[in-house]
Amino acid sequence: MAYYLRMNADKGACARRLPDDQVDLVVEVFRMLADATRVQVLWALGSREMAVNDLAAHIGKPAPSVSQHLAKLRMARLVRTRREGTTIFYSLDNDHIRQLVTDAVFNAEHAGPGIPGHHRDAAELALLHPGDRDAESGSDAADGSRP
């Protein structure tokens, strides 16, 4: 069923005018994506859930700053939380957010020089990411479909 819905969403056949309240929500999503730290956070969460300190270390930002960005992303319903003991784990709220961020990153790769990472084959990715087993095996993570 989800595949069917996704396929219909990809057709882009609907030319209706969007209601103003829906446009406002879309603008808010793009506003959340208009910050480098939040893009890094969403990209990191595209492959796994993470705690604030792990996210902060991964993207190279202070934990309090990352925590503030996560609060904004949560309020915008782009991320969700799960508590395990005293640790709160963050993950993307849904696959549409993952796809939106992935598409934005892939689009940006086309603006740079050379072959975009998501168009490279497993052998080329293994050279770019030595020691990365995903790149060597040619799995989805290596083709750029996952962060």
Side-chain angles (χ1 to χ4, degrees):
M1 180 76 166
Y3 179 75
Y4 174 76
L5 293 174
R6 181 72 186 139
M7 292 302 294
N8 282 341
D10 287 342
K11 290 181 182 174
C14 185
R16 68 181 168 87
R17 182 184 182 281
L18 293 174
D20 290 342
D21 59 337
Q22 189 174 10
V23 170
D24 291 343
L25 291 172
V26 171
V27 168
E28 183 59 26
V29 168
F30 283 117
R31 189 174 289 127
M32 289 293 106
L33 292 173
D35 180 272
T37 299
R38 289 193 289 267
V39 168
Q40 289 283 5
V41 165
L42 292 170
W43 181 250
L45 293 175
S47 60
R48 65 187 182 281
E49 69 176 12
M50 298 175 80
V52 174
N53 289 334
D54 295 331
L55 270 168
H58 182 77
I59 66 171
K61 299 284 184 180
S65 171
V66 171
S67 184
Q68 288 179 352
H69 286 289
L70 284 165
K72 290 177 183 179
L73 291 168
R74 188 174 181 204
M75 284 179 41
R77 291 185 273 171
L78 301 181
V79 300
R80 63 176 171 237
T81 60
R82 178 183 67 83
R83 180 180 291 276
E84 190 175 296
T86 59
T87 305
I88 298 174
F89 292 93
Y90 290 83
S91 61
L92 297 182
D93 191 61
N94 60 62
D95 284 334
H96 295 290
I97 302 306
R98 177 179 289 105
Q99 189 65 52
L100 181 64
V101 173
T102 300
D103 286 345
V105 169
F106 288 0
N107 185 64
E109 285 183 345
H110 281 276
I115 300 170
H118 63 279
H119 287 292
R120 294 175 185 263
D121 63 23
E124 291 173 310
L125 286 170
L127 291 172
L128 289 174
H129 303 283
D132 184 350
R133 284 189 292 188
D134 288 335
E136 293 166 3
S137 67
S139 74
D140 285 349
D143 71 9
S145 64
R146 297 272 190 205

